[in-house]
């Protein structure tokens, strides 16, 4: 059994668009485009895109309205899923950035302390001890560079030049 259009609209849609549909049918509006919720015959709600135009007689009086209703339920659902996925990706990116910043700080702070004390000690020790402190400094500088490089990889900021620089800086395969 056919039901009137306004009866098929959800209450929100009906309240929102009843006046606009009356204006369309009276001829005050030429066309109307809106989205609403409608009920199928099975009483399942669907999101619908509605386009309506007035058909007039030769005197310009409105005769009837031609309406096109398009079910956009799946498109709206997919759009909502994309928005949710985007929000989740942004949350993950923010977490990753905070985590990398924290790791960077937690690794570089003790390294800076070690290198700082090594610099102080190098002037106050014997030649044999100076050689060992030099090894500490060299290893600390390499480790600092490595930490910086490793932090930049997940951020996507590592360039080909930085990789080439790392290859020259480190003597891979040797002590």
């Amino acid at each position: 059994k056919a039901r009137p259009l306004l009866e098929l609209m959800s209450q929100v849609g009906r309240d929102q668009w009843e006046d606009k549909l009356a204006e369309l049918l009276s001829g005050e509006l030429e066309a109307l485009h809106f989205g609403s919720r409608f009920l199928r015959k099975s009483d399942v709600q669907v999101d619908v895109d509605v386009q309506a135009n007035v058909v007039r007689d030769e005197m310009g009086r409105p005769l009837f309205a031609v309406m096109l209703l398009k079910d956009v339920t799946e498109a709206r659902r997919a759009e909502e899923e994309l928005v949710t996925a985007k929000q989740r990706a942004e949350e993950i990116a923010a977490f990753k950035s905070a985590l990398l910043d924290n790791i960077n700080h937690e690794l570089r702070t003790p390294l800076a302390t070690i290198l700082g004390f090594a610099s102080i000690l190098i002037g106050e020790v014997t030649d044999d001890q100076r050689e060992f402190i030099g090894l500490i400094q060299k290893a600390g500088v390499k480790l600092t560079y490595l930490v910086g490089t490793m932090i930049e990889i997940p951020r996507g900021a590592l360039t080909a030049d930085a990789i080439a620089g790392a290859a020259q800086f480190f003597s891979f395969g040797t002590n």
Side-chain angles (χ1 to χ4, degrees), residues 58-124:
E58 57 279 341
M59 302 294 292
R61 295 178 296 224
L63 291 173
F64 55 89
V66 176
M67 301 182 86
L68 174 66
L69 284 72
K70 181 179 178 184
D71 183 346
V72 293
T73 305
E74 288 303 316
R76 291 239 170 96
R77 187 173 296 126
E79 183 180 333
E80 289 170 3
E81 288 174 5
L82 282 174
V83 168
T84 301
K86 180 180 181 271
Q87 289 170 343
R88 182 72 177 131
E90 288 169 350
E91 290 170 4
I92 290 169
F95 174 78
K96 180 178 99 173
S97 180
L99 179 65
L100 290 173
D101 288 343
N102 190 38
I103 290 170
N104 189 32
H105 173 75
E106 293 299 326
L107 291 173
R108 286 181 187 252
T109 300
L111 279 171
T113 303
I114 291 167
L115 290 172
F117 278 114
S119 293
I120 293 169
L121 289 174
I122 203 158
E124 301 178 15

Side-chain angles (χ1 to χ4, degrees), residues 160-173:
D161 290 340
I163 293 169
Q168 288 178 351
F169 187 78
F170 295 102
S171 53
F172 294 105

Side-chain angles (χ1 to χ4, degrees), residues 21-22 24 34 39 82 84 88 103 105 123 130 140-141 143 171:
L21 288 171
L24 180 73
F34 63 93
L39 294 173
L82 282 174
T84 301
R88 182 72 177 131
I103 290 170
H105 173 75
R130 190 172 291 116
V141 169
L143 193 52
S171 53

